Amino acid sequence: GQQLNQSPQSMFIQEGEDVSMNCTSSSIFNTWLWYKQDPGEGPVLLIALYKAGELTSNGRLTAQFGITRKDSFLNISASIPSDVGIYFCAGRDPHNFGNEKLTFGTGTRLTIIP
Amino acid sequence: DSGVTQTPKHLITATGQRVTLRCSPRSGDLSVYWYQQSLDQGLQFLIQYYNGEERAKGNILERFSAQQFPDLHSELNLSSLELGDSALYFCASSSQGNSYNEQFFGPGTRLTVL
């Protein structure tokens, strides 16, 4: 089945730094989504991408749908304490006709060092 | 607040028992998805319902079953529980139209099997 490799697994940064993480797939996707999850909470949708090459921003967050349709990137600029959490990428296989099942990456845990 | 509600928030039970988790989707959403998240793991897709009908199945055990009712709320039934079933269970919903791939998650039910 499909696999989503998300990297890095964890990041330790200082407040104010920029953050980059990415996700790669073994097959093409027609949708990429980025979620953030706080401990014990449900994932919250940050950004949705629908077209190869698409670049979309949501405040300090910017995500891109890779040209090959097998990868996606998330950048966070000028990190702040509330950015701490686990970031998940998720993708939808265009061959999943009739269902909208998402495949999730393994997550990137972001920690801000005081 | 995503608009998706789940009850109960926490559930503690013993091996061999059966439990029911409940989910109410966002107003107007026809699709409901169930995911399992084990400790420090990504989200594993279990099953999707659309307007009362099963639409897609993931890695759902035979001991687990789900249904979606006419009012669109959904229940996930877990039976013959084992220690390894301890996890966070999330429900998500999505709407029709161009944003149908965007799934919105509830706060989850934490199941502990002792």
Side-chain angles (χ1 to χ4, degrees):
Chain A
Q2 293 165 323
Q3 291 186 344
L4 280 187
N5 295 311
Q6 196 170 340
S7 67
Q9 247 186 330
S10 57
M11 302 183 75
F12 296 86
I13 63 167
Q14 293 190 318
E15 186 176 346
E17 283 187 34
D18 296 343
V19 170
S20 289
M21 60 189 79
N22 70 77
C23 214
T24 57
S25 168
S26 55
S27 55
I28 63 171
F29 282 152
N30 65 356
T31 300
W32 283 97
L33 305 172
W34 284 92
Y35 288 86
K36 176 176 183 276
Q37 185 177 25
D38 291 330
E41 303 292 325
V44 174
L45 181 64
L46 299 174
I47 292 178
L49 302 159
Y50 287 98
K51 250 170 43 169
E54 181 181 352
L55 187 71
T56 297
S57 292
N58 178 6
R60 292 177 298 104
L61 277 61
T62 302
Q64 184 163 24
F65 193 140
I67 294 290
T68 66
R69 297 173 67 191
K70 289 186 176 182
D71 55 9
S72 180
F73 308 87
L74 176 70
N75 295 313
I76 306 172
S77 62
S79 57
I80 60 177
S82 62
D83 292 334
V84 167
I86 303 177
Y87 292 81
F88 289 101
C89 60
R92 180 169 176 258
D93 183 347
H95 301 110
N96 277 345
F97 298 114
N99 77 75
E100 291 76 52
K101 170 196 163 189
L102 293 177
T103 300
F104 278 80
T106 49
T108 294
R109 183 183 294 273
L110 182 63
T111 303
I112 294 185
I113 308 166
Chain B
D1 185 350
S2 66
V4 178
T5 61
Q6 287 187 250
T7 57
K9 180 81 172 163
H10 300 279
L11 200 48
I12 301 175
T13 188
T15 54
Q17 295 298 304
R18 172 191 167 94
V19 297
T20 297
L21 313 183
R22 184 188 166 103
C23 167
S24 292
R26 295 186 314 162
S27 177
D29 285 359
L30 299 180
S31 279
V32 168
Y33 312 77
W34 286 97
Y35 290 85
Q36 180 191 56
Q37 186 178 38
S38 301
L39 189 64
D40 281 342
Q41 298 292 311
L43 291 116
Q44 298 295 319
F45 170 73
L46 295 178
I47 196 163
Q48 176 197 359
Y49 277 81
Y50 174 79
N51 203 21
E53 301 285 328
E54 182 185 304
R55 189 140 179 171
K57 238 175 177 175
N59 300 321
I60 187 166
L61 299 172
E62 283 192 16
R63 300 184 286 109
F64 296 1
S65 65
Q67 57 186 129
Q68 186 178 26
F69 295 86
D71 67 352
L72 301 176
H73 91 271
S74 178
E75 292 181 356
L76 179 68
N77 301 297
L78 315 176
S79 61
S80 303
L81 285 167
E82 302 175 359
L83 295 177
D85 297 328
S86 295
L88 273 165
Y89 291 85
F90 290 103
C91 163
S93 72
S94 67
S95 67
Q96 297 304 102
N98 292 332
S99 61
Y100 71 98
N101 283 317
E102 297 172 21
Q103 296 181 17
F104 294 87
F105 283 78
T109 293
R110 182 179 292 280
L111 174 67
T112 303
V113 182
L114 302 175

